[in-house]
Amino acid sequence: MVREGDTTSSMFLVAKGGVAISVRGESGTSQKLALLEPGAAFGESSLLTGEPRLATARAMFEATLVEIDKDTLAPILRGNPSLVEHFDAIIQERRRNTAVRLGSAPDSLGRGEHVSLRNRSARFFGLKGRAEGTALASGRRPAPTRRRSPVARG
């Protein structure tokens, strides 16, 4: 289906069957991370950033998948920019779980990289607005905030 390091950028939903997810550990051997069942998804990191695949996905037996590509997801993200943060939360959780399973530091992905992931997603999809800490604006600028200057009373 997909191999770790591939440069394809789409995600998949498992509609039927089972999909095994694995990565190459430091020793170079393949380590199974998960067995995905119907309703599960994989590949969202590559879809959101356009970066190479982080894991290999193989059908364990006959499987039916739904592929979602950039052209399909882009208008959805523009209409619902908070989905970028939802996807980011999923990606962060999966990276933490992978680090634990591979014996790496569970918090090896710091806040700076998380913000960078949001920014990379926004850039890859051409979303306008700020990605740092808030939902991305869909082409509209946030309303300006008014600051009151201190008034001397006497």
Side-chain angles (χ1 to χ4, degrees):
M1 302 179 152
V2 299
R3 287 194 177 122
E4 187 174 350
D6 283 354
T7 56
T8 57
S9 58
S10 58
M11 70 177 281
F12 298 87
L13 302 175
V14 180
K16 179 181 173 186
V19 175
I21 305 295
S22 61
V23 296
R24 291 212 181 277
E26 289 182 19
S27 65
T29 60
S30 180
Q31 295 186 5
K32 189 167 129 182
L33 295 177
L35 177 59
L36 305 180
E37 297 178 337
F42 64 94
E44 60 279 344
S45 184
S46 291
L47 170 60
L48 287 175
T49 65
E51 295 173 355
R53 300 279 178 190
L54 299 175
T56 296
R58 292 184 180 96
M60 294 304 295
F61 37 90
E62 186 175 335
T64 303
L65 304 174
V66 176
E67 183 175 12
I68 301 171
D69 63 11
K70 181 181 177 183
D71 291 338
T72 302
L73 189 59
I76 296 168
L77 290 180
R78 284 187 194 104
N80 301 285
S82 64
L83 285 176
V84 171
E85 290 186 24
H86 177 72
F87 277 119
D88 282 345
I90 292 169
I91 292 167
Q92 296 306 312
E93 182 64 23
R94 287 194 181 171
R95 287 185 177 184
R96 278 190 292 277
N97 290 340
T98 298
V100 168
R101 289 193 131 189
L102 296 177
S104 304
D107 197 27
S108 60
L109 187 62
R111 171 103 175 107
E113 189 169 333
H114 181 89
V115 171
S116 176
L117 181 62
R118 278 191 236 142
N119 288 336
R120 289 189 313 246
S121 299
R123 193 171 30 252
F124 185 63
F125 279 91
L127 300 174
K128 297 177 182 178
R130 291 187 3 227
E132 303 83 19
T134 61
L136 297 168
S138 56
R140 286 177 269 152
R141 292 187 171 266
T145 56
R146 294 182 185 181
R147 293 185 181 188
R148 294 182 183 207
S149 43
V151 177
R153 297 183 190 236

